[in-house]
């Protein structure tokens, strides 16, 4: 297990501050955050490239805070692969083993073994410059995994790949984690990586961790408005909540009310996903407490789905299939009813 305790690292005017988190054995842990949040500084500190000004890094019960990078049981893969152009694939993969003075015969065995696992045996004699992006990424992954690290550190490893290659590499990372049992700490800004790979996630902002949790829980229950906006939650509404029977009633600044299954009272920000909104030409019987009439402001194609923007007394967004949008004949100016459950609404106290 990797444990980070109150870690602070300063580089010039920027710092990652008071970071505490754990990556469990065999866990796939993803750190998300906007550009400049400090994700790379954090992962490079764990790797030993930077030394922290305070705090500890503990790996399998061993304090490695001041341990040299090559003596830490971690492997690292960068976005740009960082393969040595003057070495062939086999020599690149064996580089760390040579640094550790592993005997030549054993080096060859380990290189062949990891190349078999990643299905890149046929690349062994090639030069890095002759490889595709996906092949270079597999070689960089092999170079990290051949050292049998306790934790694999991945710094935006899929960002330079095209869509289809990135999808294949996600499947490869999942397979490798399953076969090797290696814990993975992966930093990214692609939500697709999170949904495909992560057991738990952390959100970073301005050098701090602002939320940690299981993937589904963080997306459904953002800790604050920044997290909700960063995760792209479709509906974020300011209002005031008060007790109303078994639920709370939120009154928006425009005076429109809706319900939430929450105990949070006072000034709040209500969030719910566009996918949780059902549109219909007339109210219909359901268990959902919220049904608001409004006007379509815009219809925006988003791949296989359609984003519908409404005015229900406050801006509201729904996400529909193309078929549903066609059946409802939605276009700007059409009157429509928006229905959503009180349980779909998450409330964040203002000031959180």
């Amino acid at each position: 297990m990797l444990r980070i305790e109150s870690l602070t690292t300063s580089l010039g005017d920027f710092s990652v501050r008071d970071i505490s988190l754990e990556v469990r054995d065999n866990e796939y842990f993803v750190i998300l955050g906007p550009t400049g949040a400090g994700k790379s500084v954090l992962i490079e500190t764990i790797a030993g490239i930077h030394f922290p000004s305070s705090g500890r890094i503990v790996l399998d019960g061993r304090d490695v805070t001041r341990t040299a990078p090559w003596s830490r049981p971690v492997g690292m893969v960068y976005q740009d692969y960082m393969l040595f152009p003057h070495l062939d694939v086999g020599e690149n993969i064996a580089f760390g083993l040579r640094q550790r003075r592993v005997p030549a015969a054993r080096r060859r065995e380990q290189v062949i073994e990891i190349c078999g696992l990643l299905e890149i045996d046929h690349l062994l004699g090639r030069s890095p410059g002759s490889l595709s992006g996906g092949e270079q990424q597999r070689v960089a992954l092999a170079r990290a995994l051949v050292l049998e690290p306790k934790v694999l550190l991945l710094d935006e490893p899929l960002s330079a790949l095209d869509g289809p290659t990135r999808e294949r590499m996600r499947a490869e990372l999942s397979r490798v984690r399953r076969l090797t049992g290696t814990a993975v700490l992966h930093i990214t800004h692609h939500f697709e990586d999170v949904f495909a790979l992560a057991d738990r996630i952390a959100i970073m902002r301005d050098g701090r961790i602002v939320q940690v949790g299981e993937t589904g829980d963080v997306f459904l229950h953002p800790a604050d408005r920044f997290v909700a906006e960063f995760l792209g939650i479709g509906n974020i509404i300011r209002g005031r909540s008060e007790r109303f029977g078994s639920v709370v009633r939120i009154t928006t600044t425009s005076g429109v009310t809706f319900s939430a299954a929450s105990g949070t009272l006072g000034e709040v920000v209500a969030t719910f996903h566009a996918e949780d909104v059902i549109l219909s030409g007339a109210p219909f019987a359901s268990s959902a407490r919220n049904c608001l009439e409004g006007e379509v402001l815009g219809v925006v194609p988003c791949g296989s789905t359609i984003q519908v923007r409404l005015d229900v007394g406050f801006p509201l967004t729904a996400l529909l299939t193309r078929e549903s949008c066609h059946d409802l004949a939605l276009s700007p100016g059409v009157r429509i009813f928006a229905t959503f459950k009180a349980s779909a609404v998450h409330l964040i106290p203002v000031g959180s």
Side-chain angles (χ1 to χ4, degrees):
M1 179 176 70
L2 172 67
R3 189 169 72 251
I4 311 299
E5 300 176 350
S6 303
L7 192 77
T8 295
T9 300
S10 297
L11 295 178
D13 294 333
F14 181 79
S15 297
V16 292
R17 303 182 299 281
D18 197 28
I19 303 291
S20 294
L21 60 84
E22 289 185 349
V23 180
R24 302 162 185 159
D25 292 340
N26 196 31
E27 181 175 39
Y28 205 113
F29 193 101
V30 173
I31 298 179
L32 278 163
T35 300
K39 306 184 297 297
S40 291
V41 174
L42 173 59
I43 206 169
E44 289 175 348
T45 302
I46 295 168
I49 297 168
H50 313 299
F51 284 148
S53 54
S54 62
R56 293 204 310 158
I57 303 167
V58 180
L59 187 52
D60 277 359
R62 174 187 166 205
D63 189 334
V64 298
T65 311
R66 299 289 167 184
T67 302
W70 52 87
S71 297
R72 300 186 185 203
V74 301
M76 188 156 179
V77 178
Y78 283 96
Q79 174 181 344
D80 55 2
Y81 322 128
M82 295 187 71
L83 300 178
F84 302 115
H86 62 290
L87 302 179
D88 68 23
V89 165
E91 291 167 333
N92 263 280
I93 295 171
F95 183 83
L97 297 174
R98 181 185 288 273
Q99 293 294 102
R100 292 184 178 182
R101 302 184 185 278
V102 175
R106 179 59 184 147
R107 284 204 306 269
R108 283 193 296 272
E109 291 175 5
Q110 289 183 256
V111 168
I112 290 170
E113 182 180 351
I114 196 64
C115 286
L117 177 68
L118 292 173
E119 301 175 352
I120 56 172
D121 317 60
H122 59 293
L123 301 178
L124 277 171
R126 299 264 298 273
S127 67
S130 70
L131 304 179
S132 68
E135 289 170 337
Q136 290 185 61
Q137 191 60 277
R138 282 185 170 84
V139 172
L141 188 58
R143 185 174 61 184
L145 287 171
V146 77
L147 299 174
E148 299 178 346
K150 297 292 185 183
V151 179
L152 180 63
L153 306 175
L154 304 178
D155 187 356
E156 300 273 10
L158 309 180
S159 294
L161 303 177
D162 59 63
T165 305
R166 193 161 60 239
E167 189 171 337
R168 287 194 297 272
M169 281 305 301
R170 287 191 197 105
E172 186 76 354
L173 287 170
S174 180
R175 183 178 74 89
V176 166
R177 191 275 294 259
R178 188 174 64 253
L179 292 175
T180 64
T182 305
V184 180
L185 178 59
H186 178 158
I187 65 175
T188 186
H189 59 268
H190 289 288
F191 294 148
E192 297 93 335
D193 297 344
V194 175
F195 293 125
L197 295 167
D199 297 315
R200 289 190 302 143
I201 64 175
I203 310 294
M204 280 193 78
R205 178 191 188 190
D206 296 335
R208 294 184 182 274
I209 298 286
V210 295
Q211 187 169 3
V212 177
E214 293 185 3
T215 304
D217 188 57
V218 172
F219 273 82
L220 288 174
H221 305 110
D224 58 25
R225 183 166 190 147
F226 163 78
V227 175
E229 291 176 346
F230 176 72
L231 295 178
I233 293 175
N235 296 292
I236 303 174
I237 303 119
R238 180 75 180 261
R240 182 172 183 81
S241 70
E242 58 185 358
R243 181 61 59 191
F244 188 71
S246 60
V247 296
V248 297
R249 180 170 58 191
I250 298 94
T251 303
T252 67
T253 53
S254 61
V256 176
T257 63
F258 59 93
S259 298
S262 173
T264 303
L265 303 177
E267 296 295 322
V268 296
V269 173
T271 70
F272 54 97
H273 289 269
E275 297 91 330
D276 291 324
V277 180
I278 300 171
L279 299 185
S280 58
F284 61 93
S286 77
S287 60
R289 289 178 176 268
N290 300 307
C291 183
L292 303 174
E293 185 178 7
E295 180 181 326
V296 176
L297 299 178
V299 177
V300 182
C302 299
S304 61
T305 58
I306 300 290
Q307 184 185 81
V308 183
R309 296 172 182 165
L310 311 170
D311 178 2
V312 295
F314 58 83
L316 185 144
T317 301
L319 197 64
L320 275 66
T321 65
R322 287 179 175 271
E323 182 180 5
S324 295
C325 189
H326 179 267
D327 291 346
L328 289 168
L330 296 179
S331 62
V334 169
R335 301 295 295 180
I336 201 78
F337 288 85
T339 301
F340 53 98
K341 292 185 176 182
S343 59
V345 181
H346 173 63
L347 299 185
I348 303 168
V350 169
S352 295

